[in-house]
Amino acid sequence: MTGTTDTRTTAAALALGDDALVLSHRLGEWAGSAPVLEEEVALANIALDLLGQARVLLSLAGDEDELAYLREERSFRNSQLVEQPNGDFAHTIARQLYFSTYQRLLYGQLASGDGPFAGLAAKAVKEVAYHQDHAEHWTLRLGDGTPESHRRMQRAVDALWRYTGELFQPVDGLDLDLSALDTAWLDSVTDTLGRATLTVPSGPRTGAWSAGAGRQGLHTESFGRMLAEMQHLHRSHPGATW
Amino acid sequence: MTAVTAGTAGTTGVPGVSDTAAAAEQAAYEAVFDAAVAADERIEPRDWMPEAYRASLVRQIAQHAHSEIIGMQPEANWITRAPSLRRKAILMAKVQDEAGHGLYLYSAAETLGTSRDELLDKLHTGRQKYSSIFNYPTLTWADVGAIGWLVDGAAITNQVPLCRCSYGPYARAMVRVCKEESFHQRQGYEALLALSHGTEAQHAMAQDAVDRWWWPSLMMFGPPDDESTHTAQAMAWKIKRHTNDELRQRFVDIAVPQAEALGLTLPDPDIRWNEERGHYDFGAIDWTEFWDVLKGNGPCNDQRLSKRRQAHEDGAWVREAAAAYAEKHTGKHGEAQA
């Protein structure tokens, strides 16, 4: 443990807040392009829930807009998983499955404690239960749908597997039993993939080079471009209010 | 209403029933329908209705539903660039609501015996239209505010009377849609107010957006009354309650003082209060532009339709997967029950 209570809370709030902010942004990119109208509603709904969480968390760490719009790539603390491009619908769903399963377990633990995130977690855990349910149902439909959807879903769960280990690396300010969280995550995801007739990926869940990765401000290439788009207007009008 | 349930109408050709009897029966149905409309009763899905009434409603509701989903695009264009997290959340919620409105409206259209798939196919092949306004581009953030204020404002002026439309499912959909639209309109106005009272650059951005969106918003009420082919019949059926020009005037009367409150000007030197009429006079609309956009030659017609088609095509494998999964699993379920 390092730092004072306040800086530890800030560090944890940034990690969790950036996760929610960045994933919300990615889901926002789907607007107008979803495969069915019902998914326009669902994806926007999840994006809005995540943005709501991000705003609460970033406000714990400082000014939400300054933090979202004026930090550079190397200062963001989100995991690399959430910044991964949307890809096809299967990639988006695999990313949702991995992340919402993690978030549900994480908020479950935080809600049962009495730390600075207990209040937020108690509210958010209801939202993320819905997100996980949504992701699981689509994993089943795509995995156990047509040969084409099965192939795409398997490709997606394989491609994103290497970003899942990072979720369970220690975050300063979060005093959690991470190994229990990881075990529960693996059980849940293994069960869902099995029911979806998919194979649990066998590769490593993190790379040696990227140890620490997003939590240390080390991101993937597409992230800088995402931030450029997100921050451009705000940065073009310094000091303006909107 | 107490109208006759459809299903037995039009028995021409049934052995033993003469053409005269069928015609009399048809006339009786029509009389019941006309009386219900005259008494301001609601026509419901199982009631008999003239085929032309049904076709006209399908056309109008479908076009309305299509407008909601095509209308997501110009605003979604700014979701990833919204300048504050609060504005981003408001915009996401709005675009989500539009998808929801599309869903209500397709459901309302389906009560008339068509299907969402069929209607989407007509949209994708250009056989059904959507509102001409969505063929204009959103070039700056202020356009999002201008759309909220002017485009949603015009839509509400059009839609509030539809809450009393003679067809029940459409009228009820409109009640829900109007509530949410009014909320968006206020938020759009408030976003524009923040800009017009912000920095010089923000004010200029707001003025530019209003300059570009004002005339297209007036065109949303459709052609002038003497060129509107559907108005007379739609009013007789109480689908429409006011003419295009009446609604357009109502909108101008509301918008002019709002523009003043915003500290922005409207791009029409001929706007002035007419004491005698009790309304604002305003300049001539460029109907050449209106018809041109309607014919497909607006700045974004191709782009909007291509994006919609692309989303539909890209999503085909997902819809097929969902159908295949449902079939497998209801099948298994059925066997288990048997």
Side-chain angles (χ1 to χ4, degrees), chain A residues 21 24-25 27-29 31-38 40-42 44-48 51 54-55 58 64-65 68-69 88-90 137-138 140-146 148-150 152-153 195 226 229-234 237-242, chain B residues 69 72-73 76-90 92-96 98-100 102-103 106 116 120 140-141 190-191 194-195 198-199 201-202 205 307-308 311-312 314-322 324-326 328-329 332:
Chain A
L21 177 71
S24 168
H25 186 96
L27 291 173
E29 293 172 353
S33 305
V36 283
L37 266 180
E38 285 81 353
E40 294 283 2
V41 178
N45 200 338
I46 296 168
L48 265 173
L51 186 52
R55 295 181 66 192
L58 294 182
E64 62 176 36
D65 285 340
Y69 291 100
D88 66 6
F89 190 68
H137 275 97
W138 272 112
L140 295 178
R141 287 187 200 108
L142 298 181
D144 194 16
T146 64
E148 166 78 353
S149 69
H150 179 89
R152 285 177 183 255
M153 195 63 213
R195 284 188 291 133
M226 193 206 100
E229 183 173 346
M230 183 172 105
Q231 297 181 336
H232 163 261
L233 178 59
H234 186 96
H237 296 264
T241 48
W242 301 91
Chain B
I69 60 167
M72 293 167 71
Q73 289 184 33
N77 185 37
W78 281 92
I79 285 179
T80 54
R81 293 177 289 169
S84 74
L85 297 186
R86 175 169 168 263
R87 294 289 174 203
K88 188 173 184 162
I90 289 171
M92 272 184 180
K94 181 179 181 188
V95 174
Q96 183 193 18
E98 281 158 4
L103 284 171
Y106 286 120
R116 197 207 300 185
L120 280 174
T140 72
W141 167 252
E190 195 255 328
L195 295 176
T199 65
Q202 286 177 305
M205 192 192 278
K307 178 159 173 150
R308 179 90 269 289
H312 192 72
D314 289 350
W317 70 272
V318 177
R319 295 189 299 276
E320 284 158 16
Y325 180 84
K328 277 185 214 178
H329 290 271
K332 278 179 194 167

Side-chain angles (χ1 to χ4, degrees), chain A residues 13-198:
Chain A
L14 283 181
L16 303 186
D18 287 350
D19 274 352
L21 177 71
V22 170
L23 186 55
S24 168
H25 186 96
R26 284 295 188 210
L27 291 173
E29 293 172 353
W30 269 104
S33 305
V36 283
L37 266 180
E38 285 81 353
E39 281 308 295
E40 294 283 2
V41 178
L43 295 174
N45 200 338
I46 296 168
L48 265 173
D49 286 345
L50 290 167
L51 186 52
Q53 293 167 16
R55 295 181 66 192
V56 173
L57 287 159
L58 294 182
S59 297
L60 285 174
D63 178 87
E64 62 176 36
D65 285 340
E66 266 177 43
L67 289 168
Y69 291 100
L70 299 176
R71 271 183 300 159
E72 295 193 350
E73 191 182 344
R74 293 283 278 117
S75 302
F76 273 81
R77 293 289 176 261
N78 56 283
S79 62
Q80 291 185 349
L81 175 68
V82 295
E83 76 201 30
Q84 294 310 304
N86 289 333
D88 66 6
F89 190 68
H91 273 79
T92 291
I93 290 300
R95 193 181 60 197
Q96 281 308 116
L97 176 72
Y98 291 163
F99 186 73
S100 61
T101 302
Y102 155 76
Q103 230 190 356
R104 187 179 188 177
L105 293 164
L106 173 80
Y107 282 155
Q109 279 205 19
L110 291 174
S112 65
D114 58 358
F117 305 113
L120 165 88
K123 178 177 177 286
V125 79
K126 294 172 199 153
E127 295 168 353
V128 300
Y130 159 75
H131 304 172
Q132 189 189 15
D133 191 53
H134 173 263
E136 284 185 355
H137 275 97
W138 272 112
T139 303
L140 295 178
R141 287 187 200 108
L142 298 181
D144 194 16
T146 64
E148 166 78 353
S149 69
H150 179 89
R151 184 183 64 77
R152 285 177 183 255
M153 195 63 213
Q154 186 66 56
R155 193 176 60 184
V157 297
D158 289 348
L160 294 171
W161 189 246
R162 59 184 290 218
Y163 299 106
T164 59
E166 188 193 342
L167 298 171
F168 304 96
Q169 290 177 5
V171 172
D172 194 26
L174 284 187
D175 303 314
L176 295 167
D177 185 351
L178 287 162
S179 63
L181 212 62
D182 196 5
T183 306
W185 183 90
L186 204 52
D187 286 348
S188 174
V189 167
T190 301
D191 174 65
T192 305
L193 296 183
R195 284 188 291 133
T197 72
L198 295 162

